[in-house]
Amino acid sequence: MTEQFDVIICGAGPAGTTCALALGNTGLKVALVDKNNFPRDKVCGDAIAAYVPKVLNTINPAYAKALESFTAKEKVNTIRVVSPNEKTLDISYGEDGFISMRLEFDNFLLELVKQLPNVKLLLNTSVKDIVIDDKGVEVYLDSSLKLQAQLIIGCDGEQGLVRKKLTHTQLDPKHHAAAVRAYFKNVKNIPKATFELHFLKDVIPGYFWIFPLPDNRVNIGLGLLTKTVSERKLNLRNEMLRIIETVPYLKERFEGAEMISDIKGYGLPLGSRKVSISGNRFMLCGDAASLIDPLTGEGIGQAMVSGRYAGWQAKKCFEQNNFSATFMKHYDKTVYNKLWKEHRRSYLIRELLINKPKLFNLSVNLISNNKFLYNLTKKVFN
Ligand SMILES: Cc1cc2nc3c(=O)[nH]c(=O)nc-3n(C[C@H](O)[C@H](O)[C@H](O)COP(=O)(O)OP(=O)(O)OC[C@H]3O[C@@H](n4cnc5c(N)ncnc54)[C@H](O)[C@@H]3O)c2cc1C
């Protein structure tokens, strides 16, 4: 059986759902395919950047309002950096971000998509193969259904099939991180509205995190460059347990706490290099396009920004009946104009400061004790 669409979006994470929202009410017939049923978990720190409501607002102010009313989130407005010599620096930033379990946040976005009459959801359905020729795109699913369209948008994450089938881009351990995550409850001394990054001396430039969730729960995790993990032959699950069981100031806080999930791991394709993220009749968004901040590991906001731009670019493709690789390059340009400067800055901070423990310790000391430097740092984070 074959079903006709204008656009096929592969993957219904933040990139795919935002892309579908940007294509809402355009008159285009859109298929949004995901191999999972929702709500579904995604291994993540669950930290949602403060600019995310603005992204939704540019698509439809009602979506930003809906996010305001969404309650399964914990507000954060301060970042706590703990340096290798265990000095604490709290930097408050101007706007509220939040922590929300991906099980709930991704489902919130999907519920918005369900209200769009021009988007058909195909959940629990895997894309197995993609063929592109002059006439269009054919997508083979794990069911007997085949989809045809003019354009495919790959929002299928780190191991995405769309990137693998349609580009030569390979994941590179120098531009890739590995991380593990678990949920705990009753961890002691959780500071108010603060997410904590602990740059412990034996894991830098990676970090151990504690992010607060509603109901006295926290998301904790450990992330490091994949290159470092393989060079040091680290087992991240064991490493994370070692940290909470043996680093004295953390051990105290985890005494009496309860782990309420498994420890799960996943990869992060970092945006510390530019790769091609489009071609003839296709675009890539979010993790499929390697758009994660190389210092903080944030990728949800970037997935939504790129998903939105891909939706808008798709609209232009239909207006001008042009699906060529050359026309699609406007998309690469728009995405990198928006994200590259910040990713480059994060990369430099990671390599030139965080990766040098003595300099990092000194900087944290200086910033904590000097109002001018503190305000300057605040500006960098805002
Ligand atoms: C441990 C860890 C911690 C992180 N912490 C944070 C954080 O705190 N804040 C932050 O902003 N970012 C964080 N990130 C990064 C963030 O998780 C990703 O950047 C984000 O999920 C990217 O969204 P996406 O929509 O591109 O991909 P995903 O969220 O991975 O969604 C991809 C979707 O595609 C579907 N799919 C895959 N293949 C197929 C197929 N063949 N057919 C159909 N569907 C398919 C999947 O089921 C999935 O639903 C973290 C990542 C990790 C690994």
Coordinates of all heavy atoms in Angstrom, one line a residue, residues 10-16 33-36 38 40 42-49 102 106 125-128 155-161 179-181 209 211 264-268 285-288 292 297-303, ligand 1:
C10 N 10.7 12.2 9.8 CA 11.1 11.0 10.5 C 11.6 11.3 11.9 O 12.6 11.9 12.1 CB 12.2 10.3 9.7 SG 12.7 8.8 10.4
G11 N 10.8 10.9 12.9 CA 11.2 11.2 14.3 C 10.3 12.2 15.0 O 10.2 13.3 14.4
A12 N 9.8 11.9 16.1 CA 8.8 12.8 16.8 C 9.4 13.3 18.1 O 8.6 13.5 19.1 CB 7.4 12.2 16.9
G13 N 10.7 13.5 18.2 CA 11.3 14.2 19.4 C 11.1 15.7 19.2 O 10.3 16.1 18.4
P14 N 11.8 16.5 20.0 CA 11.6 17.9 20.0 C 11.8 18.5 18.5 O 11.1 19.4 18.1 CB 12.6 18.5 20.9 CG 13.0 17.4 21.8 CD 12.7 16.1 21.1
A15 N 12.8 17.9 17.8 CA 13.0 18.4 16.4 C 11.8 18.2 15.5 O 11.3 19.0 14.8 CB 14.3 17.8 15.8
G16 N 11.4 16.9 15.5 CA 10.3 16.5 14.7 C 8.9 17.1 15.0 O 8.2 17.6 14.1
V33 N 6.4 10.4 11.5 CA 6.6 9.0 11.8 C 7.6 8.8 13.0 O 8.6 9.4 13.0 CB 7.2 8.2 10.6 CG1 7.3 6.7 10.8 CG2 6.5 8.6 9.3
D34 N 7.2 8.0 14.0 CA 8.1 7.6 15.0 C 8.1 6.2 15.4 O 7.0 5.6 15.4 CB 7.9 8.5 16.3 CG 9.1 8.5 17.2 OD1 9.5 7.4 17.8 OD2 9.8 9.5 17.3
K35 N 9.2 5.6 15.6 CA 9.3 4.1 15.9 C 8.7 3.8 17.3 O 8.4 2.7 17.5 CB 10.7 3.6 15.7 CG 11.7 4.1 16.8 CD 13.0 3.5 16.5 CE 14.1 4.0 17.4 NZ 15.4 3.6 17.1
N36 N 8.6 4.8 18.1 CA 8.0 4.5 19.5 C 6.6 5.0 19.6 O 6.1 5.8 18.9 CB 8.8 5.4 20.5 CG 10.1 4.7 20.9 OD1 10.1 3.6 21.4 ND2 11.2 5.3 20.5
F38 N 4.0 7.0 22.2 CA 4.2 8.1 23.2 C 3.2 7.9 24.3 O 2.1 7.4 24.0 CB 4.1 9.4 22.5 CG 5.4 9.8 21.8 CD1 5.9 9.1 20.8 CD2 6.1 11.0 22.2 CE1 7.1 9.4 20.1 CE2 7.3 11.3 21.6 CZ 7.8 10.6 20.5
R40 N 7.1 8.5 25.6 CA 8.3 7.6 25.6 C 9.4 8.4 26.2 O 9.5 9.6 26.2 CB 8.6 7.2 24.1 CG 9.1 8.3 23.2 CD 10.6 8.4 23.0 NE 11.1 9.4 22.1 CZ 11.3 10.7 22.5 NH1 11.0 11.1 23.7 NH2 11.7 11.6 21.6
K42 N 13.4 9.5 26.8 CA 14.6 9.7 26.0 C 15.7 10.0 27.1 O 15.5 10.8 27.9 CB 14.4 10.9 25.1 CG 15.6 11.6 24.6 CD 16.4 10.8 23.6 CE 17.6 11.6 23.1 NZ 18.8 11.4 24.0
V43 N 16.8 9.3 27.0 CA 17.9 9.5 28.0 C 18.4 10.9 27.8 O 18.8 11.3 26.8 CB 19.0 8.5 27.8 CG1 20.1 8.8 28.8 CG2 18.5 7.1 27.8
C44 N 18.3 11.7 28.9 CA 18.6 13.2 28.8 C 18.7 13.7 30.2 O 18.3 13.1 31.2 CB 17.3 13.8 28.1 SG 17.6 15.5 27.7
G45 N 19.3 14.9 30.3 CA 19.4 15.6 31.6 C 18.1 16.4 31.9 O 17.8 16.9 33.0
D46 N 17.2 16.5 30.8 CA 15.9 17.1 31.0 C 15.9 18.6 31.2 O 14.9 19.2 31.6 CB 15.1 16.4 32.1 CG 14.9 15.0 31.9 OD1 14.9 14.5 30.8 OD2 14.7 14.3 33.0
A47 N 17.0 19.3 30.9 CA 17.1 20.7 31.1 C 16.6 21.4 29.8 O 17.2 21.2 28.8 CB 18.5 21.2 31.5
I48 N 15.6 22.3 30.0 CA 15.1 22.9 28.8 C 15.5 24.4 28.8 O 15.1 25.1 29.8 CB 13.5 22.8 28.8 CG1 13.0 21.4 29.2 CG2 12.9 23.3 27.4 CD1 13.0 20.3 28.2
A49 N 16.1 24.9 27.8 CA 16.7 26.2 27.8 C 15.6 27.3 27.9 O 14.4 27.1 27.4 CB 17.5 26.5 26.5
R102 N 11.7 14.1 29.9 CA 11.4 14.0 28.5 C 10.2 13.2 28.2 O 9.5 13.4 27.2 CB 12.6 13.4 27.8 CG 13.8 14.3 27.8 CD 13.6 15.6 26.9 NE 13.4 15.2 25.5 CZ 14.4 15.0 24.7 NH1 15.7 15.1 25.0 NH2 14.2 14.6 23.4
D106 N 8.3 15.8 25.8 CA 8.1 15.4 24.4 C 6.6 15.0 24.1 O 6.1 15.3 23.0 CB 9.0 14.2 24.1 CG 10.5 14.6 24.0 OD1 10.8 15.7 24.6 OD2 11.3 13.8 23.5
T125 N 6.0 3.0 14.5 CA 6.3 2.7 13.1 C 7.7 3.1 12.7 O 8.0 4.3 12.8 CB 5.3 3.5 12.2 OG1 3.9 3.2 12.6 CG2 5.4 3.1 10.7
S126 N 8.5 2.2 12.3 CA 9.9 2.6 12.0 C 10.1 2.8 10.5 O 9.5 2.1 9.6 CB 10.8 1.4 12.3 OG 11.2 1.4 13.6
V127 N 10.9 3.8 10.2 CA 11.4 4.0 8.8 C 12.5 3.1 8.6 O 13.5 3.0 9.3 CB 11.8 5.5 8.6 CG1 12.5 5.6 7.2 CG2 10.6 6.4 8.7
K128 N 12.4 2.2 7.5 CA 13.4 1.2 7.3 C 14.3 1.5 6.1 O 15.4 1.1 6.0 CB 12.7 -0.2 7.0 CG 12.1 -0.8 8.3 CD 13.2 -1.2 9.2 CE 12.7 -1.7 10.5 NZ 13.7 -1.8 11.6
C155 N 14.6 13.8 11.6 CA 14.6 14.3 13.0 C 14.7 13.1 13.8 O 14.1 13.0 14.9 CB 13.3 15.0 13.3 SG 13.0 16.5 12.2
D156 N 15.5 12.1 13.4 CA 15.5 10.8 14.0 C 16.7 10.6 14.9 O 17.1 9.4 15.2 CB 15.4 9.7 12.9 CG 16.3 9.9 11.7 OD1 16.9 11.0 11.6 OD2 16.4 8.9 10.9
G157 N 17.3 11.6 15.4 CA 18.2 11.5 16.5 C 19.6 11.1 16.1 O 20.0 11.0 14.9
E158 N 20.4 10.8 17.2 CA 21.8 10.5 17.1 C 22.1 9.4 16.1 O 23.1 9.4 15.3 CB 22.4 10.2 18.5 CG 23.9 10.0 18.6 CD 24.3 8.7 19.2 OE1 23.4 7.8 19.4 OE2 25.5 8.5 19.4
Q159 N 21.4 8.3 16.2 CA 21.6 7.1 15.3 C 20.7 7.1 14.1 O 20.5 6.1 13.5 CB 21.4 5.8 16.1 CG 22.4 5.6 17.2 CD 23.8 5.3 16.6 OE1 24.0 4.9 15.5 NE2 24.9 5.7 17.4
G160 N 20.2 8.3 13.7 CA 19.2 8.4 12.7 C 19.5 7.8 11.3 O 20.7 7.8 10.8
L161 N 18.5 7.2 10.8 CA 18.7 6.5 9.5 C 18.8 7.5 8.3 O 19.5 7.3 7.3 CB 17.4 5.6 9.2 CG 17.4 4.8 7.9 CD1 18.3 3.5 8.1 CD2 16.0 4.3 7.5
A179 N 27.0 9.8 27.7 CA 26.6 10.2 29.0 C 25.6 9.2 29.5 O 25.0 8.4 28.8 CB 25.9 11.6 28.9
V180 N 25.5 9.1 30.9 CA 24.5 8.3 31.5 C 23.7 9.1 32.4 O 24.1 10.2 32.9 CB 25.2 7.2 32.4 CG1 25.9 6.1 31.5 CG2 26.2 7.7 33.3
R181 N 22.5 8.6 32.7 CA 21.5 9.4 33.5 C 20.7 8.4 34.4 O 20.4 7.3 34.0 CB 20.5 10.1 32.5 CG 19.4 10.7 33.3 CD 18.1 10.5 32.5 NE 17.6 9.2 32.6 CZ 16.5 8.8 31.9 NH1 15.8 9.6 31.1 NH2 16.1 7.5 32.0
W209 N 26.2 15.9 36.8 CA 25.1 16.9 37.0 C 24.1 16.5 38.0 O 23.8 15.3 38.2 CB 24.5 17.4 35.7 CG 23.6 16.3 35.0 CD1 22.3 16.0 35.4 CD2 23.9 15.5 33.9 NE1 21.8 15.1 34.5 CE2 22.7 14.7 33.6 CE3 25.0 15.3 33.1 CZ2 22.7 13.8 32.6 CZ3 25.0 14.4 32.1 CH2 23.8 13.7 31.8
F211 N 20.1 17.9 38.5 CA 19.1 18.8 38.0 C 17.8 18.5 38.8 O 17.3 17.3 38.8 CB 18.8 18.6 36.5 CG 20.0 19.0 35.6 CD1 20.0 18.6 34.3 CD2 21.1 19.7 36.1 CE1 21.0 19.0 33.4 CE2 22.1 20.0 35.2 CZ 22.1 19.7 33.9
K264 N 20.8 4.8 32.5 CA 20.7 4.5 31.1 C 21.7 5.5 30.4 O 21.9 6.6 30.8 CB 19.3 4.8 30.5 CG 18.3 3.8 30.9 CD 17.0 4.1 30.2 CE 15.9 3.1 30.5 NZ 14.6 3.6 30.1
G265 N 22.3 5.0 29.3 CA 23.3 5.8 28.6 C 22.9 6.1 27.2 O 22.0 5.3 26.6
Y266 N 23.4 7.1 26.6 CA 23.2 7.5 25.2 C 24.2 8.4 24.7 O 25.0 9.0 25.5 CB 21.8 8.1 25.1 CG 21.1 7.9 23.7 CD1 20.5 6.7 23.5 CD2 21.0 8.9 22.8 CE1 19.9 6.4 22.2 CE2 20.4 8.7 21.6 CZ 19.8 7.4 21.3 OH 19.2 7.2 20.1
G267 N 24.3 8.6 23.3 CA 25.3 9.5 22.8 C 24.9 10.9 22.5 O 23.7 11.1 22.3
L268 N 25.8 11.8 22.4 CA 25.5 13.2 22.1 C 26.4 13.7 20.9 O 27.6 13.9 21.1 CB 25.7 14.1 23.3 CG 24.9 13.9 24.5 CD1 25.6 13.0 25.5 CD2 24.7 15.3 25.3
C285 N 17.6 17.7 11.2 CA 17.5 18.6 12.3 C 17.9 17.9 13.6 O 18.0 16.7 13.7 CB 16.0 18.9 12.5 SG 15.1 19.5 11.1
G286 N 18.2 18.8 14.6 CA 18.5 18.3 16.0 C 19.7 17.4 16.0 O 20.7 17.6 15.3
D287 N 19.6 16.3 16.7 CA 20.8 15.4 16.9 C 21.2 14.7 15.5 O 22.3 14.4 15.3 CB 20.5 14.3 17.9 CG 20.5 14.7 19.3 OD1 20.7 16.0 19.5 OD2 20.5 13.9 20.2
A288 N 20.2 14.6 14.7 CA 20.5 14.0 13.3 C 21.5 14.9 12.6 O 22.2 14.5 11.7 CB 19.2 13.8 12.5
I292 N 24.4 19.6 19.1 CA 24.4 19.8 20.6 C 25.5 20.7 21.0 O 26.6 20.6 20.5 CB 24.5 18.4 21.3 CG1 23.3 17.5 20.9 CG2 24.8 18.5 22.7 CD1 23.2 16.2 21.6
G297 N 26.2 20.4 26.6 CA 25.4 19.1 26.2 C 24.0 19.4 26.0 O 23.2 18.5 25.8
E298 N 23.6 20.7 25.9 CA 22.2 21.0 25.6 C 21.9 20.8 24.1 O 22.7 21.3 23.3 CB 21.9 22.5 25.9 CG 21.8 22.8 27.4 CD 21.7 24.3 27.6 OE1 22.7 25.0 27.4 OE2 20.6 24.7 28.0
G299 N 20.8 20.1 23.8 CA 20.4 20.0 22.4 C 18.9 20.1 22.1 O 18.5 20.1 21.0
I300 N 18.1 20.2 23.2 CA 16.7 20.2 23.0 C 16.3 21.5 22.3 O 15.6 21.5 21.3 CB 15.9 20.1 24.3 CG1 16.3 18.8 25.0 CG2 14.4 20.2 24.1 CD1 15.8 18.7 26.5
G301 N 16.8 22.7 22.8 CA 16.5 24.0 22.2 C 17.0 24.0 20.7 O 16.3 24.4 19.8
Q302 N 18.2 23.5 20.5 CA 18.8 23.5 19.1 C 17.9 22.6 18.2 O 17.7 22.9 17.0 CB 20.2 22.9 19.2 CG 21.2 23.8 19.8 CD 21.4 23.7 21.3 OE1 20.4 23.3 22.0 NE2 22.5 24.0 21.8
A303 N 17.4 21.5 18.8 CA 16.5 20.6 18.0 C 15.3 21.4 17.6 O 14.8 21.3 16.4 CB 16.2 19.3 18.8
Ligands
LIG1 C1 22.5 11.7 28.8 C2 22.1 12.9 28.0 C3 21.8 14.1 28.6 C4 21.3 15.2 27.9 N1 20.9 16.3 28.6 C5 20.4 17.3 28.0 C6 19.8 18.4 28.7 O1 19.8 18.4 29.9 N2 19.3 19.5 28.0 C7 19.3 19.5 26.6 O2 18.8 20.5 26.0 N3 19.8 18.4 25.9 C8 20.3 17.3 26.6 N4 20.7 16.3 25.8 C9 20.6 16.3 24.4 C10 19.2 16.0 23.9 O3 18.7 14.8 24.5 C11 19.1 15.9 22.4 O4 19.8 16.9 21.8 C12 17.6 16.0 21.9 O5 16.9 14.8 22.4 C13 17.5 16.0 20.4 O6 16.2 16.0 20.0 P1 15.9 15.3 18.6 O7 14.4 15.5 18.4 O8 16.8 15.7 17.6 O9 16.1 13.7 18.8 P2 15.5 12.7 19.8 O10 15.0 13.3 21.0 O11 16.5 11.6 19.9 O12 14.2 12.1 18.9 C14 14.4 11.3 17.8 C15 13.2 10.5 17.6 O13 13.3 9.7 16.4 C16 12.7 8.5 16.5 N5 13.4 7.6 15.5 C17 14.7 7.2 15.5 N6 14.9 6.4 14.4 C18 13.7 6.3 13.8 C19 13.2 5.5 12.7 N7 14.1 4.8 11.9 N8 11.9 5.6 12.3 C20 11.1 6.3 13.0 N9 11.4 7.0 14.1 C21 12.7 7.0 14.5 C22 13.0 8.1 18.0 O14 12.1 7.1 18.5 C23 12.9 9.5 18.7 O15 11.6 9.7 19.2 C24 21.2 15.1 26.5 C25 21.5 14.0 25.8 C26 22.0 12.8 26.5 C27 22.3 11.6 25.8

